[in-house]
């Protein structure tokens, strides 16, 4: 279908400009309800600045438990560590559940696409998860981190290939890759193959090397990269937080580094390491097509005659119950 200019609706959408935001802030650690209220306020602030897409950090609801060891060493777990896990579990999010409903209301109230890191609980297992919401409040889906890093594996389960979505929205094709998943080249290739244009990268990594990686991925994928990290001071953690942090309440624990990068590796906003902030930038989706002219790593710049990637997106469940009844020998004989 053509409009008055002779362009198709899809072409008009592809050339659209809009404002996006990444939120750099601290949650109310281990307090889910107060964190959800803070999310609602921050999302409203971003929307008031014109943002139509708002990205929050990894594990924002309700904690990235930096510095905690949960009392675990090879061959032993402490009772104190088990209680720390219980506290973390209690502040996590059921999907679906009341916290998801609250986030859906936030997206609808602010009329934004909301992408946010949560700690999801599924029975006795926690997952580092990103949730996606539409401006009408619809819950779009989730991505579970497929590879927790180092000690994260003590407390987070592993996602599988069934939750690696890229959503086709009016703003563009949107997905998320969490923290050091971004150092899995094959995962990046899978996301590029799905046509990701708005590459959301919630993280807990404040290093300079992470910021360099965001520029690399934007160039490699010819996509907009929106990286959001927490900014924490010691005072943002509970007084009884069981980790060796500074005694100075103003000491910076996580410095942020959030940024928005265009398909040519240019910073449109950030990186910011100064404090809590909402970074915004105008997204010109025409830059994606301009960039594909000389680099499309899953298109004209690929060599499928040499390299190919197979992706298994089937859910991997530990217990499968089948409804079919196995016929007894008499039944089998009648149908023989």
């Amino acid at each position: 279908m053509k409009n008055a200019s002779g362009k198709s609706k899809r072409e008009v959408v592809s050339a659209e400009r809009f404002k996006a935001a990444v939120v750099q802030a601290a949650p109310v650690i281990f307090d889910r309800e107060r964190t959800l209220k803070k999310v609602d306020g921050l999302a409203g602030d971003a929307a008031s600045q014109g943002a139509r897409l708002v990205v929050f950090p990894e594990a924002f609801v309700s904690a990235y438990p930096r510095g905690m060891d949960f009392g675990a060493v090879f061959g032993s777990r402490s009772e104190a560590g088990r209680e720390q896990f219980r506290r973390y579990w209690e502040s996590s999010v059921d999907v679906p559940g009341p916290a998801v409903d609250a986030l859906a209301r936030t997206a609808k109230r602010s009329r934004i696409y909301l992408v946010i890191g949560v700690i999801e609980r599924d029975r006795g297992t926690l997952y580092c998860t990103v949730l996606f919401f539409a401006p009408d409040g619809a819950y779009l889906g989730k991505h579970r981190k497929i590879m927790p890093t180092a000690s994260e594996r003590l407390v987070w389960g592993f996602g599988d290939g069934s939750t690696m979505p890229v959503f086709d929205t009016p703003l563009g094709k949107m997905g998320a890759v969490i923290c050091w998943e971004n150092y899995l080249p094959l995962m990046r290739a899978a996301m590029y193959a799905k046509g990701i244009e708005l590459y959301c990268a919630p993280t807990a990594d404040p290093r300079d090397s992470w910021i360099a990686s965001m520029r690399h991925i934007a160039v490699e994928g010819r996509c907009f990269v929106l990286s959001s990290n927490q900014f924490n001071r010691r005072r943002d953690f509970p007084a009884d937080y069981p980790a060796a942090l500074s005694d100075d309440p103003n000491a910076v624990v996580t410095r942020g580094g959030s940024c928005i990068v265009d398909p040519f590796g240019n910073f449109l906003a950030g990186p910011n390491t100064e404090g809590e902030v909402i970074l915004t930038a105008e997204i010109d989706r025409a830059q994606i097509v301009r960039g594909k002219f000389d680099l499309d790593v899953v298109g004209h710049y690929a060599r499928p005659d040499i390299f190919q990637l197979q992706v298994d997106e089937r859910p991997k469940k530990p217990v499968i119950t089948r409804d079919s009844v196995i016929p007894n020998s008499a039944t089998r004989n009648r149908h023989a």
Side-chain angles (χ1 to χ4, degrees):
M1 182 177 178
K2 304 287 185 177
N3 66 6
S5 67
K7 295 182 179 180
S8 69
K9 287 185 177 180
R10 180 61 183 170
E11 288 170 334
V12 171
V13 170
S14 296
E16 185 180 2
R17 295 172 182 258
F18 67 91
K19 186 174 285 188
V22 294
V23 174
Q24 180 167 288
V28 184
I29 292 171
F30 300 143
D31 192 325
R32 180 180 57 242
E33 303 313 316
R34 289 175 64 195
T35 297
L36 291 170
K37 290 180 180 178
K38 185 167 185 176
V39 169
D40 190 64
L42 290 168
D45 290 345
S48 70
Q49 297 178 47
R52 297 174 62 188
L53 165 62
V54 181
V55 182
F56 279 79
E58 176 183 15
F60 199 75
V61 186
S62 68
Y64 183 86
R66 188 173 299 278
M68 289 180 62
D69 60 17
F70 291 88
V73 296
F74 269 41
S76 177
R77 270 72 57 199
S78 71
E79 290 305 311
R82 294 183 187 277
E83 175 58 19
Q84 291 160 19
F85 180 82
R86 185 205 63 79
R87 182 184 189 185
Y88 196 29
W89 186 92
E90 289 289 351
S91 70
S92 62
V93 172
D94 292 316
V95 181
V100 175
D101 295 340
L103 292 168
R105 289 192 295 270
T106 289
K108 184 175 183 179
R109 185 178 299 114
S110 296
R111 298 193 295 277
I112 57 170
Y113 282 95
L114 174 63
V115 180
I116 184 167
V118 305
I119 298 304
E120 176 192 2
R121 65 186 179 201
D122 187 352
R123 300 176 179 85
T125 300
L126 300 180
Y127 296 93
C128 181
T129 298
V130 168
L131 304 180
F132 301 83
F133 300 87
D136 63 359
Y139 165 65
L140 298 178
K142 69 184 179 184
H143 165 54
R144 282 179 174 174
K145 193 174 190 179
I146 64 171
M147 178 49 69
T149 300
S151 295
E152 293 173 357
R153 297 173 207 167
L154 293 171
V155 290
W156 295 345
F158 292 64
D160 59 30
S162 67
T163 65
M164 297 194 304
V166 170
F167 300 100
D168 195 355
T169 78
L171 302 184
K173 292 186 177 181
M174 178 189 309
V177 183
I178 306 169
C179 205
W180 275 27
E181 286 185 318
N182 285 278
Y183 294 134
L184 295 174
L186 301 185
M187 184 174 184
R188 297 201 309 270
M191 300 304 278
Y192 301 153
K194 293 185 178 189
I196 192 168
E197 298 168 320
L198 304 171
Y199 189 113
C200 303
T203 190
D205 188 347
R207 300 172 181 87
D208 289 340
S209 56
W210 174 262
I211 296 168
S213 295
M214 296 301 94
R215 299 188 75 183
H216 168 87
I217 291 169
V219 172
E220 179 182 71
R222 286 303 200 233
C223 52
F224 287 91
V225 173
L226 301 97
S227 179
S228 179
N229 195 3
Q230 297 185 25
F231 184 93
N232 307 116
R233 296 186 185 275
R234 177 61 183 91
R235 63 173 179 262
D236 295 316
F237 294 79
D240 62 348
Y241 190 76
L245 303 180
S246 171
D247 293 331
D248 179 0
N250 293 316
V252 174
V253 177
T254 305
R255 68 171 190 156
S258 302
C259 58
I260 301 174
V261 191
D262 81 358
F264 292 92
N266 301 306
F267 287 115
L268 302 181
N272 183 289
T273 57
E274 301 303 316
E276 291 201 354
V277 67
I278 297 173
L279 300 174
T280 64
E282 183 179 74
I283 304 298
D284 176 8
R285 293 186 62 244
Q287 286 289 79
I288 296 170
V289 179
R290 295 183 185 113
K292 297 286 189 182
F293 171 60
D294 54 4
L295 183 64
D296 182 354
V297 295
V298 290
H300 63 77
Y301 214 79
R303 284 296 305 273
D305 55 323
I306 304 174
F307 309 110
Q308 288 188 326
L309 169 65
Q310 296 182 24
V311 182
D312 186 350
E313 295 191 339
R314 294 172 296 177
K316 302 300 189 295
K317 296 182 179 180
V319 178
I320 299 173
T321 302
R322 303 193 187 280
D323 295 331
S324 59
V325 177
I326 300 174
N328 58 33
S329 58
T331 304
R332 288 197 299 268
N333 290 337
R334 285 201 303 271
H335 293 281

